[in-house]
Amino acid sequence: MKLASLKTGGRDGTLIVVNRELTHYLVAADVAPTLQRAIENWSNSAPRLNALSQQVNDSDDGAQRLDFTSLASPFPRAYEFLDGSAYLPHVERVRRARGAEVPASFYEDPLMYQATSGGFLGPRDAVPVVSEEYGIDFESEVVVVTDDVPMAVSAQQAASHIQLIGLVNDVSLRNLIPAELAKGFGFLQSKPRSALSPVLVTPDELGGAWRDSKVHLPLRSWLNGEWFGAPEAGNDMQFNFAQLVAHAARTRPLGAGTIVGSGTVANEDESLGASCLAERRMLEIIAEGKPRTPFMSFGDTIRIEMLDGANQSIFGAIEQVIEPHGR
């Protein structure tokens, strides 16, 4: 099934069930008012949401036409968003461009940080930024959402707690990152609000593309209407989502609705393009000694989407424009 949230209904939106073609929806208020409430009682709510999914997929009678601009983030706010960096080519290129080695621990211990979760932008909302000098970048990633995860679960156990899958544009302000990391305390101002895909889906919606706790499909990005990259999300992923969830839960339980990100999707095969400007710039530094590609400017647009084998959009597209804060 495919789940989304309308902007109406308060800070946490109104839960809806969307058909596979992403054209119609049914309000799921009788099951749960919000997606957060549904995931907190997943064993009870999932079968009832599945029944609505079957209904809206069988017929659009009684369903409403879907307008993507009316959608909030599926989780307009979440208790926790933990973002990893699971793609080894991305980490290796960033390190190599600045003359650093990849830490040996990375090959056995995932990189992860606690990201902004108090509010997510809607999938068609503009990205407000104070200054172009901040080095505005997008990051195309895959995310999963868990139910309640006990502390110290194994990766095998963690896999059963993954209930929803989606995409995220993990916005980064690259020119603010070095000074923040130099303090030794991690990201803060350099990581503003991100945007989740219009819908999140249960793993069964991906069929055989969901295996080994990875999504085996290209993640496509277009910058200002031009193809930017389509790396395979299932390739070159050093740690799968079950391992990432288990890593996050090593010393604490995770509450229902926890979002875990893959990090920027990247492949060894450079012909497949990139999923963020920083990586393209790193490749330019490695090849030419300096970057040629600028970061994003006001008015620039980014589109992030994943298609199934029939070229049908799975999660809907994230489509955003960069605009000055306060416009």
Side-chain angles (χ1 to χ4, degrees), residues 86-97:
Y87 290 90
L88 189 56
H90 177 72
V91 177
E92 288 179 334
R93 288 164 186 158
V94 170
R95 296 269 178 166
R96 193 182 349 149

Side-chain angles (χ1 to χ4, degrees), residues 95-136:
R95 296 269 178 166
R96 193 182 349 149
R98 64 173 192 248
E101 296 291 328
V102 177
S105 62
F106 174 77
Y107 298 94
E108 299 177 356
D109 194 36
L111 296 172
M112 186 172 286
Y113 73 96
Q114 197 140 4
T116 302
S117 63
F120 288 91
L121 299 169
R124 302 296 166 88
D125 290 352
V127 179
V129 183
V130 171
S131 171
E132 292 178 333
E133 299 302 313
Y134 288 171
I136 309 163

Side-chain angles (χ1 to χ4, degrees), residues 249-264:
R250 181 180 179 185
T251 61
R252 59 183 175 180
L254 305 179
T258 293
I259 299 167
V260 178
S262 66
T264 308

Side-chain angles (χ1 to χ4, degrees), residues 13 17 31 55 238 255 303 320:
V17 179
V31 178
Q55 181 180 337
Q238 183 75 4
R303 176 185 174 99
Q320 298 185 281

Side-chain angles (χ1 to χ4, degrees), residues 9-207:
R11 288 192 178 189
D12 295 307
T14 297
L15 177 61
I16 61 174
V17 179
V18 181
N19 68 347
R20 290 189 178 91
E21 291 75 22
L22 304 178
T23 58
H24 291 81
Y25 71 89
L26 293 172
V27 174
D30 289 343
V31 178
T34 67
L35 185 50
Q36 179 61 41
R37 189 75 64 84
I39 199 74
E40 288 173 355
N41 190 24
W42 194 242
S43 62
N44 176 270
S45 60
R48 299 167 66 194
L49 292 171
N50 264 315
L52 285 179
S53 177
Q54 185 68 47
Q55 181 180 337
V56 76
N57 279 300
D58 286 345
S59 171
D60 57 16
D61 289 345
Q64 300 183 58
R65 188 79 183 177
L66 183 64
D67 174 7
F68 285 101
T69 63
S70 71
L71 294 180
S73 167
F75 286 92
R77 54 182 175 172
Y79 287 109
E80 202 150 31
F81 175 23
L82 305 168
D83 201 15
S85 187
Y87 290 90
L88 189 56
H90 177 72
V91 177
E92 288 179 334
R93 288 164 186 158
V94 170
R95 296 269 178 166
R96 193 182 349 149
R98 64 173 192 248
E101 296 291 328
V102 177
S105 62
F106 174 77
Y107 298 94
E108 299 177 356
D109 194 36
L111 296 172
M112 186 172 286
Y113 73 96
Q114 197 140 4
T116 302
S117 63
F120 288 91
L121 299 169
R124 302 296 166 88
D125 290 352
V127 179
V129 183
V130 171
S131 171
E132 292 178 333
E133 299 302 313
Y134 288 171
I136 309 163
D137 200 357
F138 68 93
E139 290 189 64
S140 303
E141 304 183 17
V142 181
V143 297
V144 299
V145 181
T146 72
D147 57 16
D148 287 304
V149 181
M151 185 171 69
V153 294
S154 66
Q156 183 177 4
Q157 293 167 331
S160 67
H161 291 282
I162 296 171
Q163 304 298 352
L164 297 170
I165 303 167
L167 308 178
V168 67
N169 175 20
D170 177 40
V171 182
S172 291
L173 304 176
R174 300 292 186 184
N175 292 341
L176 301 184
I177 290 176
E180 288 203 315
L181 294 185
K183 296 178 181 179
F185 231 48
F187 303 115
L188 181 66
Q189 295 174 345
S190 53
K191 301 299 291 187
R193 288 185 171 185
S194 299
L196 297 176
S197 50
V199 304
L200 301 177
V201 311
T202 48
D204 60 304
E205 288 289 332
L206 295 173

